[in-house]
Amino acid sequence: MPQRPAATLSSVPPAPTVRATLRRPRALSVEVLAGIVTTLALIPEVISFSIIAGVDPKVSLIASVVLAVSMSFLGGRSAMVTAAAGAVALVVAPLVRDHGVEYLLPAVLLAGLVQILFGVTGLARLMRFIPRSVMIGFVNALGILIFVAQLPHLIDVPWLVYPLFALTVLIVLGLPRLTRAVPAPLVAIVVVTAIAMTWHLAVPTVGDQGAVSGGLPGITPLLVPVNLETLQIIWPTALSVAFVGLVETLLTAKLVDDITDTRSAKGRESWALGIANMLAGLYGGIAGCAMIGQTVVNVKLGRARTRISTFVAGIFLLLLVTALSGLMEQIPMVALAAVMMIVAITTVNWHSVRPATLRRMPVPETVVMLVTVAVVVATHNLAIGIAAGVLLAMVLFARRVAHVVRVDRVIAADGLSARYTVSGPLFFGSSNDLVEQFSYGIDPAVVDVDLAQAQIWDASTVAVLDSVETKYRQHGATVTFHGLDERSQAMHERLSGRL
């Protein structure tokens, strides 16, 4: 029976291109409609985040236009939505509160410069060290945060909100069974808005969240001196904006990679985000990063796959802020909240929390996932949760690896020498106990240590081997180490006797 050829990278269908999509009316309509529904899901969160950051909502909306459009051309991950995000708003809020909004522009420019350097130098590749358990925790926490953020729109509101909520959910879940020609969330938002406007229903709307009408803000003026004092004020915030934005953006890019089975250029995404943030700072005033919930709306619900959708989202947002601001203010918040709740539910990796999965999963992996979720939900900061999860995963990994080192002792037939065989990776976590594995007082005068099945990974191990040699010398014995690979041997020769 003939063998089936193995799958290769070349056998994976390539991602659709902008040029190919423009030639296919059906595919183009999918991208355009996905961009429109993404914009509608974007507006209330951007307004809420602007209030957190202490800036004018219109400023955040225009900055989101700049971010979405510029990343459509520059970014390394197609279909990912970038705008003024909550993670960045939380970081810049103390700076605006303590020193004034005029320090926001230089902080954003410095953050953008750091992100550009991060991408150009290839440091984005560090994202590969984020474990799968942390990634799952990140996704699950994201779903929880999105869901919880919508609850205020359903509590202490007029009773008419609840029938509109039920109608929105019914359309979003039921329409795809009939047709997928138009995104169900877009139909739901249009229908609910039309009902509210036709019958003049007194329900909370987008306009109640903050004023969004008025002219464009123009170029952001630099109102603080460019000197060392300003740098001392802005650099902590700038670094936080840079790294929080990068973490959230690169993890979102990884999530979209998994959803679409395509690859993204993480380095390009990093320096592109830096340029986009600098442009947004100059024309708008606030930085941003990938919007995870809106990206899920664009990619999952809207089925977008190209840069067209994000470009349309930016242009449509500009149109809403300028020419259609009056109409945008009439959209009931319950319609947007219902859509985002469904997004939240579909975002959670339910397979990861099934009892059958938890029983099979190693306990440390489950602990890392739960800690990541708990820290993110407690702090409302995805970056802090990711950092806590990665740190815990590193500690647990080091603890496991520390116990895989094995030492076997054999005495020669003539009793004149002892041979030790050491196997496993030797680093600070595993080699610190190595010194206790030798029988210094009872071994013969000649000791041979075979390290052919071990590797030296750090200076701590070299120091431990020096300590073993010293202890044998104190007992009148000589010890010889051999069998190291070329890299380990070079490290041992370079550091032995100098630590």
Side-chain angles (χ1 to χ4, degrees):
M1 186 174 180
Q3 292 287 336
R4 186 175 183 178
T8 62
L9 289 178
S10 60
S11 66
V12 178
T17 63
V18 171
R19 181 175 299 180
T21 303
L22 290 174
R23 294 173 179 172
R24 298 166 54 207
R26 183 181 293 274
L28 179 60
S29 65
V30 169
E31 296 289 327
V32 172
L33 293 174
I36 292 174
V37 72
T38 298
T39 303
L40 297 176
L42 184 71
I43 292 168
E45 291 203 37
V46 171
I47 295 174
S48 300
F49 297 153
S50 66
I51 296 172
I52 294 173
V55 301
D56 189 339
K58 186 174 61 181
V59 168
S60 293
L61 290 169
I62 295 300
S64 297
V65 171
V66 175
L67 287 164
V69 173
S70 57
M71 289 299 285
S72 296
F73 291 96
L74 300 175
R77 172 64 266 176
S78 300
M80 188 166 71
V81 181
T82 303
V88 174
L90 289 170
V91 171
V92 302
L95 176 70
V96 174
R97 182 183 63 248
D98 297 338
H99 299 284
V101 72
E102 60 270 17
Y103 282 93
L104 190 56
L105 174 59
V108 170
L109 294 177
L110 181 57
L113 182 60
V114 172
Q115 290 171 335
I116 292 173
L117 293 175
F118 196 93
V120 171
T121 55
L123 291 176
R125 290 192 297 268
L126 293 175
M127 299 303 292
R128 72 181 66 176
F129 296 108
I130 296 182
R132 179 180 178 276
S133 54
V134 175
M135 185 66 185
I136 293 176
F138 159 79
V139 171
N140 291 345
L142 166 66
I144 294 173
L145 289 182
I146 294 175
F147 190 91
V148 172
Q150 313 312 314
L151 292 179
H153 303 303
L154 298 175
I155 299 175
D156 294 330
V157 293
W159 70 269
L160 288 171
V161 166
Y162 301 107
L164 295 178
F165 176 82
L167 178 61
T168 305
V169 173
L170 179 64
I171 295 175
V172 172
L173 298 181
L175 185 61
R177 299 177 182 271
L178 303 176
T179 178
R180 292 183 177 270
V182 181
L186 178 59
V187 174
I189 293 170
V190 170
V191 169
V192 171
T193 302
I195 292 174
M197 293 178 65
T198 302
W199 277 279
H200 304 286
L201 302 182
V203 294
T205 63
V206 170
D208 297 331
Q209 304 298 304
V212 295
S213 59
L216 298 177
I219 301 298
T220 307
L222 182 62
L223 302 177
V224 296
V226 182
N227 53 28
L228 184 60
E229 181 180 357
T230 298
L231 180 62
Q232 291 175 336
I233 292 174
I234 67 171
W235 76 262
T237 300
L239 290 182
S240 297
V241 169
F243 291 118
V244 167
L246 282 172
V247 168
E248 191 154 347
T249 295
L250 295 177
L251 284 178
T252 304
K254 178 66 169 61
L255 179 63
V256 179
D257 291 351
D258 294 339
I259 293 174
T260 61
D261 291 325
T262 58
R263 291 184 175 183
S264 58
K266 304 300 191 297
R268 176 178 174 178
E269 188 68 29
S270 298
W271 61 254
L273 179 63
I275 294 175
N277 274 329
M278 295 179 78
L279 294 174
L282 291 171
Y283 195 87
I286 191 169
C289 63
M291 299 282 284
I292 308 170
Q294 285 66 30
T295 297
V296 173
V297 170
N298 193 43
V299 175
K300 272 194 172 183
L301 299 186
R303 296 179 290 122
R305 292 297 182 270
T306 73
R307 301 172 187 273
I308 295 174
S309 61
T310 49
F311 177 77
V312 169
I315 297 302
F316 187 60
L317 179 59
L318 178 62
L319 183 63
L320 288 175
V321 173
T322 53
L324 301 177
S325 59
L327 178 61
M328 178 176 64
E329 291 176 343
Q330 299 302 314
I331 299 175
M333 284 301 302
V334 64
L336 302 176
V339 170
M340 293 309 296
M341 280 184 164
I342 295 173
V343 169
I345 293 172
T346 59
T347 298
V348 172
N349 187 331
W350 295 104
H351 177 75
S352 67
V353 294
R354 289 177 180 173
T357 304
L358 294 176
R359 283 195 298 268
R360 294 189 184 97
M361 191 67 61
V363 173
E365 300 278 338
T366 301
V367 170
V368 168
M369 186 266 287
L370 293 177
V371 167
T372 303
V373 171
V375 174
V376 170
V377 172
T379 64
H380 286 245
N381 191 315
L382 291 167
I384 294 177
I386 296 299
V390 170
L391 181 60
L392 178 60
M394 291 172 58
V395 172
L396 294 177
F397 173 76
R399 182 175 178 271
R400 290 198 303 270
V401 174
H403 293 86
V404 302
V405 174
R406 180 178 176 181
V407 179
D408 296 315
R409 173 177 178 264
V410 177
I411 301 296
D414 56 10
L416 299 179
S417 64
R419 179 183 178 85
Y420 287 85
T421 301
V422 181
S423 58
L426 299 176
F427 67 108
F428 64 91
S430 60
S431 60
N432 284 337
D433 294 334
L434 185 64
V435 70
E436 302 173 1
Q437 304 297 316
F438 296 89
S439 304
Y440 305 100
I442 62 176
D443 274 343
V446 178
V447 177
D448 178 71
V449 180
D450 183 3
L451 297 170
Q453 301 178 48
Q455 303 85 36
I456 296 177
W457 290 106
D458 59 7
S460 296
T461 301
V462 178
V464 167
L465 295 180
D466 285 352
S467 178
V468 170
E469 186 175 6
T470 300
K471 288 181 177 295
Y472 272 116
R473 190 182 305 118
Q474 293 172 349
H475 288 84
T478 59
V479 61
T480 303
F481 302 106
H482 70 88
L484 288 171
D485 58 55
E486 184 177 350
R487 183 197 56 80
S488 299
Q489 183 66 34
M491 179 181 290
H492 186 260
E493 291 176 353
R494 186 173 68 252
L495 298 178
S496 181
R498 294 176 175 83
L499 299 176

